[in-house]
Amino acid sequence: MTDIIDDLEWRGLLAQTTDLDDLRKALADGPVTLYCGFDPTAGSLHVGHLTQILTLARFQRAGHRPIALVGGATGLIGDPKPGAERVLNSADVVAGWVDTLGRQLSAFLRFTPEGERPEPTDAVLANNADWLGGMGAIEMLRDVGKHFSVNQMLGREIVKSRLDRDGMSYTEFSYVLLQSYDYVQLYRRHGCVLQIGGSDQWGNITAGLDLVRRMDHNAPHGPAHGLTTTLLTKSDGTKFGKTESGAVWLDPELTSPYAFYQFWFNLDDSDILRYLKVFSFRDRQEIEDLERQTAERPAARAAQRALAEELTTLVHGEEECRKVIDASRALFGQGELASLDARTLGAALAAVPSVPVAGGAAALPPVVDLLVGTGLVASKSAARRAIQEGGAYLNNAKVTDVEAVPAAEDLLHGRYLVLRRGKRNVGGVVLEG
């Protein structure tokens, strides 16, 4: 057992708790069973979910038992959004997403390996469709709905903001009943006495706590608790986890391991030390050492590199992380481009300015034109000057002829070329079809 509360406070994660002293005592007497819910409203988790996933993992490493609840039932409705009603997905689609999220969560938490005896801290994967899916409307209204005050529900911030705009359907208005009942079921089935979530979930968490007290007033497993973590934003106040192309997904088909690595590697210096505490399992001494390295040599990006490697390995595996690092080095002339597999090279070029070429290898234009097309230079005259000054490269080989035209044998995997101007400016050429 370690003091998980002290660790969360040091990492800047602790936002709200129901009774901190009582929770500390319960955790010290542990192990405590806790849960966090993840609704399958998309086909993958994204980096915005990592705060809660890694917090569950921290509790497990501190000697407690986490429950990862995937909302096979609540995912059919979705937690109300501030802006507008959610699009409702079909039951088959949501069921497929439940399976995907379960597999993704297994990369972060230790579940009981097949054929082995469970350990007290082994994680549990739960699905609220197991108790909500067969529950009738009358049962829900009589057994759960009677414990909720409409006045209190109308006073919730998300409800007030939506009613002040375009209104809210009864479906989304009732979401809090379903999520609260999850806590009751996990309390009864697994002795779960702690729910965690982002600070925007505080209203749902306290509603669940109140329902546990009302429906299990004898408290056979002891008092229930709630804890929220700080919502992350960038130093400029914008939402964490968003890029120009949208969310950064954990699914490699939606966000390649290369793009995933680059997201962390390119974090701003003003954000990286805060994020290192939130997303890394490194201890205080290691993080403080990275903080010192960042202060002394910010251009080396030691903290960004450490976090990118740790999370890419955790999410995509050691082999994929190695490929990504090799690709990053090779693109900037520090490794062999020919040794990269097609998938990794394609993902790497998707992250830099690239120009498509149709018509096969015979249609490849001169290097001068490609340098302009990728935006590495502003004009053909600038491209010729870069070549003449020895600053233009094709597949990491210096281009010496201003009239040079790439040949079919220059194409990597039959369709890629890597252009570079100087040491740090990289572009790509991709043969279409």
Side-chain angles (χ1 to χ4, degrees), residues 139-196:
E139 185 181 1
M140 171 59 73
L141 292 172
R142 281 178 58 89
D143 296 344
V144 179
K146 68 180 180 181
H147 296 295
F148 284 81
S149 162
V150 172
N151 290 344
Q152 289 180 327
M153 293 172 69
L154 288 171
R156 299 176 69 223
E157 285 302 319
I158 185 66
V159 175
K160 288 194 295 185
S161 66
R162 286 281 297 277
L163 292 179
D164 288 341
R165 299 176 64 181
D166 300 322
M168 173 184 282
S169 71
Y170 181 75
T171 300
E172 290 196 358
F173 182 67
S174 303
Y175 180 89
V176 66
L177 276 70
L178 306 181
Q179 183 169 327
S180 299
Y181 191 61
D182 287 344
Y183 203 165
V184 172
Q185 285 294 321
L186 294 175
Y187 183 85
R188 292 174 175 175
R189 293 173 182 231
H190 299 286
C192 178
V193 294
L194 174 61
Q195 182 185 1
I196 69 168

Side-chain angles (χ1 to χ4, degrees), residues 12-23:
L13 278 166
L14 197 61
Q16 301 148 298
T17 61
T18 43
D19 186 330
L20 185 57
D21 291 338
D22 196 41
L23 178 57

Side-chain angles (χ1 to χ4, degrees), residues 197-262:
S199 58
D200 60 336
Q201 290 295 308
W202 184 244
N204 285 333
I205 290 174
T206 54
L209 287 169
D210 188 56
L211 187 62
V212 170
R213 296 187 188 106
R214 290 173 181 272
M215 297 187 74
D216 289 283
H217 50 82
N218 292 325
H221 303 296
H225 300 274
L227 179 152
T228 64
T229 59
T230 308
L231 287 181
L232 289 182
T233 58
K234 298 179 184 178
S235 55
D236 61 6
T238 59
K239 190 172 183 179
F240 169 79
K242 294 285 188 179
T243 66
E244 290 183 4
S245 57
V248 180
W249 302 96
L250 306 193
D251 187 332
E253 298 302 319
L254 298 175
T255 299
S256 71
Y258 184 89
F260 184 86
Y261 179 96
Q262 292 298 323

Side-chain angles (χ1 to χ4, degrees), residues 84-108:
E85 289 279 319
R86 289 185 180 273
V87 175
L88 300 183
N89 298 292
S90 71
D92 288 343
V93 167
V94 171
W97 290 350
V98 167
D99 292 339
T100 299
L101 268 58
R103 288 193 299 272
Q104 290 179 336
L105 288 164
S106 67
F108 303 91

Side-chain angles (χ1 to χ4, degrees), residues 254-302:
L254 298 175
T255 299
S256 71
Y258 184 89
F260 184 86
Y261 179 96
Q262 292 298 323
F263 169 78
W264 301 103
F265 185 77
N266 290 318
L267 287 175
D268 193 270
D269 286 344
S270 58
D271 292 320
I272 184 57
L273 297 174
R274 184 163 49 101
Y275 292 164
L276 196 62
K277 291 180 179 180
V278 171
F279 296 110
S280 174
F281 286 109
R282 286 174 167 80
D283 61 27
R284 185 177 301 201
Q285 182 177 344
E286 291 174 300
I287 290 176
E288 288 175 349
D289 182 55
L290 286 168
E291 183 176 9
R292 177 186 56 76
Q293 292 181 52
T294 299
E296 292 176 355
R297 295 183 60 218
R301 305 187 74 75

Side-chain angles (χ1 to χ4, degrees), residues 33-36 38 45 53 56-57 60-61 64-70 98-127 190:
T33 298
L34 69 148
Y35 92 96
C36 185
F38 304 91
L45 297 167
I53 299 171
L56 280 181
Q60 185 174 41
R61 294 183 180 206
H64 305 285
R65 182 175 67 150
I67 299 173
L69 176 66
V70 181
V98 167
D99 292 339
T100 299
L101 268 58
R103 288 193 299 272
Q104 290 179 336
L105 288 164
S106 67
F108 303 91
L109 303 170
R110 184 193 187 276
F111 294 90
T112 306
E114 188 174 351
E116 294 188 17
R117 295 182 63 181
E119 298 292 332
T121 60
D122 281 352
V124 174
L125 184 64
N127 181 350
H190 299 286

Side-chain angles (χ1 to χ4, degrees), residues 258 261-262 265 305 321-335 337 340 344 348 426:
Y258 184 89
Y261 179 96
Q262 292 298 323
F265 185 77
R305 190 183 311 277
C321 185
R322 183 193 61 77
K323 290 180 180 178
V324 166
I325 294 171
D326 288 347
S328 298
R329 290 175 56 83
L331 244 61
F332 294 94
Q334 299 172 354
L337 287 166
L340 304 180
T344 303
V426 176

